[in-house]
Amino acid sequence: MINKIEHIGIAVKSLKDSNKLFESLFGKSHYKIESVESESVNTSFFKLGESKIELLEATDDDGPIAKFIAKKGEGIHHIAFDVDDIEAEIKRLKNEGFIVLNDKPKKGADNKLVVFLHPKSTNGVLIELCQEIGK
Ligand code: ZN
C-alpha cells in the first residue's frame, strides 16, 4: 500500500546555496546532510510537519542529477511515496505495467530502501517508493 507523500526531491546546482535559500524560505535549518554514493548525490533534508523536502546536488557530472539539471535546469526532480512493503509494491506495480527502474530496492538516503518508476510510465513524473529500514 502507498501511504503518503514521504518527500519531494528538488535538484539543485549547489547544496550550500540552496540550503541557505530553503532555510530562509522555511525559517528553519535542514536536519541532515547525507551523501548517497550509488546515486552520485549529496542530499540535505528539511522537515515540515509530516512532510520532507530533499535537496539533491550532483557529485558526478555523469550522474542522474547532473544529467537532469543539464536537460531541465534546477527544479522538482521526484516525488517519493512511503510504502510498508516495497517488495510487494514492486511486484504489484510491475503487474500493473509500470516500468520499475531497479528490480531490487537499494539503499537510499535517510535510512530508506528505495526504488524508482520510469517517468515514461507515470505521466512524466519520476516516482520514488521508499520504505524505512527496520520498519
Ligand atoms: Zn528522494
Side-chain angles (χ1 to χ4, degrees):
M1 199 176 84
I2 292 183
N3 298 317
K4 61 171 186 177
I5 293 178
E6 214 283 331
H7 64 269
I8 293 175
I10 299 175
V12 303
K13 285 182 184 159
S14 158
L15 203 59
K16 195 165 160 258
D17 292 349
S18 295
N19 273 336
K20 264 194 217 149
L21 188 148
F22 282 89
E23 278 169 17
S24 306
L25 179 68
F26 297 143
K28 68 196 286 190
S29 189
H30 59 277
Y31 70 91
K32 80 155 79 170
I33 287 187
E34 193 179 339
S35 296
V36 184
E37 251 171 64
S38 63
E39 296 288 320
S40 306
V41 290
N42 292 325
T43 66
S44 71
F45 282 86
F46 291 82
K47 193 160 194 196
L48 306 157
E50 280 252 300
S51 311
K52 292 178 196 163
I53 298 292
E54 173 186 31
L55 303 182
L56 304 137
E57 169 197 67
T59 57
D60 176 348
D61 286 348
D62 291 325
I65 295 301
K67 283 184 184 155
F68 177 89
I69 289 178
K71 210 166 145 190
K72 299 187 173 173
E74 294 177 298
I76 293 180
H77 177 258
H78 65 270
I79 300 178
F81 294 95
D82 175 72
V83 300
D84 292 322
D85 184 344
I86 198 163
E87 302 268 5
E89 286 305 314
I90 290 172
K91 216 169 168 186
R92 183 180 72 83
L93 293 169
K94 273 188 175 171
N95 277 336
E96 295 286 346
F98 292 96
I99 305 166
V100 180
L101 284 176
N102 41 317
D103 275 342
K104 285 268 159 221
K106 47 187 179 180
K107 175 100 173 52
D110 203 28
N111 192 40
K112 300 277 197 296
L113 288 173
V114 302
V115 73
F116 288 91
L117 305 183
H118 197 293
K120 215 161 53 181
S121 64
T122 50
N123 281 174
V125 181
L126 179 61
I127 303 239
E128 173 187 337
L129 302 179
C130 56
Q131 178 186 348
E132 191 154 352
I133 295 169
K135 193 182 149 185

